[in-house]
Amino acid sequence: MDTPSQHPATVRVIASPQSWVEGEALRQLEAVARLPGMRAAVGLPDLHPGKGAPVGAAFASHGVFYPFLVGNDIGCGMGLWALDLPVRKARPERWAARLDLEGPWDGDAEGMLARHGVKPCGFEASLGTVGGGNHFAEVQRVEAVHDPAAFAALKLDATRLLLLVHSGSRGLGEAILRAHVDRHGPGGLAEDSPEAHAYLTRHDQAVGWARANRATIAARVMRGVGAGEGPGGPRVLDVCHNSVTPRQRAGERHWLHRKGAAPSDEGLVVIPGSRGALSYLVRPLGDGEAHAHSLAHGAGRKWTRTHARERMRERFTADALQRTPFKSHVVCEDRDLLFEEAPPAYKAIDRVVGDLVEAGLVRVVATLAPVLTYKTRSARE
C-alpha cells in the first residue's frame, strides 16, 4: 500500500492484511520519511520497531545520507556455505557438546582479512565470533526443493548439509557509529562533504570486515563438525543487511540505506525464521524499484526482548528451548538470550515469505531446516 503524505518521500509497507505490523514501527517509518532529502521509505514484512528507526526497512535519500539508519552493526548479514558432509552423517548432539566459537580464532587473521580486501583495524580478537542478539551459526539440511532448476544452478546437493552464518562487524561497527554520533548526533552527512567521505571509508571497511568474520565463523564451524569444502568452493552466497550505498534512481544519485533488509539485486538470498522454524532460499523477482531493491531479512521480532524473556520463562524451561520441533539442537548457555530468542518471540516466517511471494517479489527455491544452531557458550554477566 502507498501512504499519502505531505513530504516528498514515498512511503510503502509490503505486508498483507494477514500480517501484523506494530504501530510503533509504522510511526518510525513515517518519521524517517520526513527527514531532509528522503525520497522513499519501504517497510518489509518483517518490519518492527528499532532504536530510533525501524528494522526490516530500506530508505532512499538524495544529497544526504544518515549513518544512524545503518546502525551500529555495519555490514551485518548472512552467508551460506555448502558442506562436504552428507545429511546422514549429521551428529547434532555430539557437535553441540564440542563446538566452541568463543574467544579469538587461532588462524591467520590478517590473511583472512586480506582475502576480503580489508586491513587490520584493531578488532582482530573478535574475528570469527558470532556475537549476541539474533546472530547465529546454523547447520541446516534441505527440507524441500521448490525450484529444481534454480537449485541445480547453484550446484547444491540436497543430500548434503549447509551452513548459514548470521553475524556482522562486532565492535568495529559500534566504534564507527559512536564516533559519528559523538560529532554529529543523529544528523545526516552531505554526500560530498569530507565527513561523508571519511564515514564511507570506515563503513566500507566494516562491511568487508563483517564478510571476513562470517567466513571465519564458517571455517571454525566446518572444523568443529568435521566438514570439508565442497566442489567449486563452499560459499554459496553472502549478503549484507545493514549498509548505505549509492545508486541511480529516476536520474538522481540516491543513497540506499538498508536497516535489517536483504538486497534483491545480488542474486539469491536466504530469509531465515527463528531457530525453531524453516529458512527460505529465494530468488528475487522484478526490477526492485518499487521496494528499494530490498527484501525481508528474517522473520522479524514480534515481542521485545524483555517481553519475550518474561513470557518464555513462564512457558518453557531452558532445557526445552535447547531442542526444536525439527529435533535440532541449540547451543546457548546465556539463559536470558535463550528466552529472548525463543521462536514464539518472532513472527511466522512462512507468512513473511508469503507476503513477498504474493507481492511478486520472490520465488521460493528451497526450504532449509535446522540441524544445529550455535548462539553462544558464554553466560551473560
Side-chain angles (χ1 to χ4, degrees):
M1 59 183 177
D2 291 327
T3 304
S5 60
Q6 298 178 347
H7 48 77
T10 299
V11 180
R12 186 184 186 200
V13 177
I14 301 169
S16 67
Q18 292 76 33
S19 295
W20 179 77
V21 178
E22 192 171 339
E24 175 62 12
L26 297 175
R27 187 198 68 76
Q28 289 184 344
L29 192 74
E30 290 277 0
V32 173
R34 290 191 289 270
L35 291 173
M38 202 58 65
R39 294 289 191 268
V42 177
L44 298 153
D46 56 336
L47 185 72
H48 59 280
K51 296 179 180 178
V55 181
F59 308 94
S61 62
H62 174 61
V64 60
F65 63 82
Y66 295 87
F68 90 92
L69 292 179
V70 179
N72 65 340
D73 199 4
I74 303 166
C76 181
M78 290 185 183
L80 181 69
W81 281 260
L83 302 184
D84 188 14
L85 192 64
V87 174
R88 60 182 170 81
K89 290 190 176 181
R91 300 292 185 269
E93 190 167 358
R94 183 187 304 171
W95 295 341
R98 73 186 189 198
L99 191 62
D100 191 342
L101 306 182
E102 312 302 316
W105 180 46
D106 60 5
D108 179 8
E110 290 192 14
M112 178 66 81
L113 291 173
R115 286 195 290 276
H116 291 81
V118 183
K119 297 179 180 179
C121 54
F123 289 85
E124 285 63 52
S126 298
L127 192 68
T129 59
V130 174
N134 61 353
H135 294 160
F136 62 83
E138 185 170 275
V139 178
Q140 302 177 326
R141 59 176 173 82
V142 177
E143 175 79 358
V145 176
H146 300 270
D147 186 337
F151 189 83
L154 292 172
K155 299 181 179 180
L156 293 176
D157 183 341
T159 69
R160 294 185 176 271
L161 294 167
L162 297 165
L163 171 63
L164 182 65
V165 176
H166 177 206
S167 191
S169 55
R170 308 291 277 112
L172 175 58
E174 171 69 32
I176 292 170
L177 179 65
R178 179 53 49 201
H180 168 79
V181 171
D182 286 348
R183 290 194 63 187
H184 305 282
L189 296 174
E191 61 181 9
D192 292 326
S193 66
E195 293 83 2
H197 291 301
Y199 172 82
L200 292 173
T201 297
R202 294 191 293 268
H203 165 281
D204 293 349
Q205 167 90 354
V207 170
W209 198 100
R211 186 171 292 112
N213 187 42
R214 289 188 286 275
T216 309
I217 292 168
R220 298 182 81 172
V221 174
M222 288 180 195
R223 184 173 65 180
V225 304
E229 296 185 357
R235 186 162 61 187
V236 178
L237 59 87
D238 188 284
V239 297
C240 176
H241 296 158
N242 292 348
S243 65
V244 58
T245 53
R247 68 178 306 130
Q248 290 297 121
R249 181 175 183 269
E252 290 184 332
R253 181 170 71 171
H254 282 194
W255 292 94
L256 176 57
H257 308 70
R258 291 189 176 107
K259 178 61 174 173
S264 68
D265 52 1
E266 297 180 16
L268 274 67
V269 301
V270 175
I271 305 177
S274 68
R275 63 177 182 247
L278 295 172
S279 295
Y280 286 75
L281 178 64
V282 303
R283 177 179 293 281
L285 303 175
D287 64 9
E289 283 292 327
H291 54 98
H293 305 278
S294 301
L295 302 169
H297 78 315
R301 292 197 71 88
K302 183 171 60 177
W303 300 334
T304 66
R305 293 188 175 278
T306 299
H307 191 191
R309 192 165 59 243
E310 294 171 351
R311 295 189 66 168
M312 292 301 95
R313 286 187 185 278
E314 295 173 356
R315 294 173 54 183
F316 299 101
T317 65
D319 287 345
L321 290 176
Q322 290 176 325
R323 301 291 186 272
T324 77
F326 293 94
K327 298 182 179 179
S328 63
H329 291 248
V330 178
V331 177
C332 185
E333 296 181 6
D334 180 333
R335 293 297 182 95
D336 284 345
L337 185 63
L338 188 65
F339 289 110
E340 291 167 6
E341 290 288 300
Y346 284 85
K347 300 180 185 182
I349 188 60
D350 55 347
R351 182 65 267 164
V352 170
V353 174
D355 285 356
L356 295 174
V357 171
E358 291 168 12
L361 304 188
V362 303
R363 181 171 66 249
V364 177
V365 173
T367 48
L368 313 174
V371 173
L372 173 68
T373 306
Y374 186 99
K375 299 287 288 184
T376 183
R377 285 206 179 278
S378 299
R380 190 178 304 180
E381 296 181 356

